[in-house]
Amino acid sequence: MNKKNKGEFGYLNYKKKLNAIITAIALLVIIAIFATGLLIFKSRNNYMTLVATVLVLPWAKLVVAYFILIPHKVCPKDVYDRLEGCKGDITSIYDVVVSNSKKPLGICAMAVTDNTIAALSLDKNPDKALFEKSLKEFLKNDKLNANVTLYTDVDTFIKRAANLAANFESEDENKTDRMGYIKNGTLNMCL
């Protein structure tokens, strides 16, 4: 399993597998501690049981982190290829789950410029208004401002990304820097 960084193509699959492995190992450690206490003390009333019980809380947090990722769809290879083929000098983000105050939203891909974020979700009935509002507010906290639009149709999203790429002035260092700040701010909001 090759390590993937947040925002890279394949990150969501990597994160799902990693969380599953960590969760399983943590459960085995808890069971081993409990079983060791039973073998040594011949009773459940011992310090090993107490330690195993206390370790259930962090394990539950790992389980929740795993189950948050499960329902979200990964970016298909053809969408990745199409976006990479048309994006030019703009930057992109793939396979992330964006957190907010109500419910996490799975984002397949994003095209990011110095003032615009076009995002694609393949999840069933994503809350477009919630995503756009929460991402704008999050970026505002970093003193960044960007137009945010969530698409659910691949062709419309690819056309928008191609349009953004065609109109982006990559020679302008300020715009390129700002694009990087917006990308990093967006990744900070992602799980």
Side-chain angles (χ1 to χ4, degrees):
M1 183 166 61
N2 294 335
K3 182 180 182 332
K4 298 278 184 181
N5 293 321
K6 192 187 310 183
E8 287 182 17
F9 179 72
Y11 174 75
L12 193 55
N13 268 341
Y14 166 77
K15 191 69 173 167
K16 285 178 182 180
K17 290 175 186 173
L18 182 66
N19 283 3
I21 291 168
I22 291 171
T23 302
I25 290 171
L27 180 61
L28 291 174
V29 167
I30 292 169
I31 291 170
I33 290 170
F34 179 73
T36 302
L38 283 177
L39 290 172
I40 293 172
F41 298 106
K42 310 285 189 240
S43 168
R44 288 184 307 160
N45 301 329
N46 61 63
Y47 291 112
M48 301 293 271
T49 301
L50 177 65
V51 170
T53 304
V54 170
L55 288 176
V56 168
L57 291 173
W59 175 77
K61 185 177 178 186
L62 293 171
V63 170
V64 169
Y66 174 68
F67 280 110
I68 284 174
L69 299 177
I70 294 296
H72 303 291
K73 295 181 179 174
V74 299
C75 185
K77 179 81 167 109
D78 66 313
V79 173
Y80 169 77
D81 291 337
R82 288 176 67 189
L83 181 57
E84 287 296 309
C86 76
K87 76 173 191 166
D89 292 328
I90 65 174
T91 190
S92 56
I93 299 171
Y94 296 98
D95 288 334
V96 291
V97 177
V98 179
S99 62
N100 57 58
S101 61
K102 294 186 181 170
K103 93 178 205 184
L105 299 164
I107 301 299
C108 170
M110 287 188 225
V112 180
T113 69
D114 63 317
N115 62 1
T116 306
I117 298 172
L120 173 67
S121 177
L122 298 178
D123 288 352
K124 231 182 215 183
N125 302 319
D127 191 338
K128 183 177 177 2
L130 174 65
F131 171 77
E132 292 172 358
K133 180 183 175 202
S134 57
L135 186 51
K136 283 179 187 178
E137 287 176 2
F138 190 84
L139 290 172
K140 229 176 236 182
N141 290 336
D142 286 344
K143 296 180 179 38
L144 297 168
N145 189 21
N147 296 319
V148 179
T149 308
L150 179 63
Y151 296 91
T152 55
D153 178 64
V154 174
D155 292 330
T156 308
F157 168 73
I158 295 296
K159 285 178 189 173
R160 178 65 175 140
N163 187 354
L164 290 171
N167 295 319
F168 183 70
E169 299 170 23
S170 60
E171 301 83 30
D172 188 340
E173 194 172 306
N174 290 332
K175 288 186 177 189
T176 304
D177 289 345
R178 185 172 163 76
M179 179 175 60
Y181 298 143
I182 290 175
K183 178 181 180 178
N184 290 335
T186 302
L187 286 173
N188 288 336
M189 190 175 175
C190 300
L191 304 176

